[in-house]
Amino acid sequence: QRRSEVEALLAQHNVPSVDSLSNVRRHAMACPGLPNCPSAITESDRVLPGIIETIEDEISRLALSDEKFTVRVTGCPFGCTRSYLADIALVGRTNDPMTGQEKYAIFVGGDSLGQRLNTLYQDLVPANQIKPTLVRLLREYKQHRQTGESLGDYFQRRTTSLCSNTLNPQQGNVR
């Protein structure tokens, strides 16, 4: 009954309405990560906004803004954000105390309904390589997807070839 009052209050404090968010931002999720969770190995909630901005920029350039897909970031393998069901997920793996360099596993191929597990695409990806890796994956999706194929469905179809093309034992990648 007081919805308009609540919306006005949120607007007054610069809280965007759900309708003003991009599809990718609207369906993204991150756990608290470091330093808030004792199980966290890496940052997550502070990493997500930059990842989403990169993805939003790229999907806008690729004219994919109407696509709905899920992005999840978690600071440890527990997957509190349901990361193993997302179209794209980043899972914290290591944090070098000497250099402060965080590394993540990138999983792809889940679905927006949470009915299919995703697959490890690349492991131990340094934080500074996540954005270029995701941009490359989105460009490949745009170029090679089939008519009506969702991002998760595309990754599921292409997982075997994607993973075999990125194997590099020196980076700790696994199949």
Side-chain angles (χ1 to χ4, degrees), residues 138-156:
L138 290 169
R139 288 178 181 168
E140 184 175 321
Y141 165 63
K142 172 68 176 187
Q143 185 178 8
H144 299 291
R145 71 182 179 153
Q146 297 173 355
T147 304
E149 188 172 40
S150 71
L151 184 69
D153 291 345
Y154 167 76
F155 285 142
Q156 185 68 26

Side-chain angles (χ1 to χ4, degrees), residues 31-174:
C31 72
L34 285 178
N36 301 315
C37 176
S39 299
I41 301 166
T42 62
E43 295 277 353
S44 55
D45 65 335
R46 292 189 279 196
V47 169
L48 181 64
I51 299 295
I52 295 301
E53 287 174 17
T54 298
I55 291 173
E56 285 174 329
D57 290 346
E58 190 60 27
I59 64 175
S60 179
R61 274 193 287 282
L62 297 172
L64 295 171
S65 297
D66 292 335
E67 298 292 320
K68 177 184 170 191
F69 59 90
T70 53
V71 176
R72 306 287 163 78
V73 181
T74 185
C76 77
F78 291 152
C80 295
T81 61
R82 299 184 314 241
S83 49
Y84 302 108
L85 300 171
D87 293 294
I88 297 174
L90 306 174
V91 176
R93 295 276 286 130
T94 65
N95 188 344
D96 185 337
M98 301 299 282
T99 64
Q101 184 180 47
E102 296 180 330
K103 293 183 180 179
Y104 296 80
I106 298 176
F107 288 82
V108 297
D111 69 343
S112 59
L113 298 176
Q115 296 176 336
R116 178 180 57 227
L117 292 172
N118 52 26
T119 304
L120 180 63
Y121 168 68
Q122 196 170 12
D123 199 4
L124 299 173
V125 179
N128 64 355
Q129 292 301 308
I130 291 172
K131 291 177 184 180
T133 300
L134 295 180
V135 165
R136 187 178 70 248
L137 288 172
L138 290 169
R139 288 178 181 168
E140 184 175 321
Y141 165 63
K142 172 68 176 187
Q143 185 178 8
H144 299 291
R145 71 182 179 153
Q146 297 173 355
T147 304
E149 188 172 40
S150 71
L151 184 69
D153 291 345
Y154 167 76
F155 285 142
Q156 185 68 26
R157 178 173 59 84
R158 299 281 309 229
T159 295
T160 304
S161 65
L162 288 173
C163 291
S164 63
N165 288 338
T166 61
L167 284 177
N168 181 344
Q170 277 125 18
Q171 290 183 343
N173 295 337
V174 295

Side-chain angles (χ1 to χ4, degrees), residues 9-28:
L9 183 62
L10 291 172
Q12 179 183 348
H13 293 281
N14 298 318
V15 177
S17 68
V18 172
D19 296 333
S20 69
L21 300 175
S22 69
N23 280 334
V24 67
R25 187 174 298 270
R26 186 175 185 175
H27 298 286

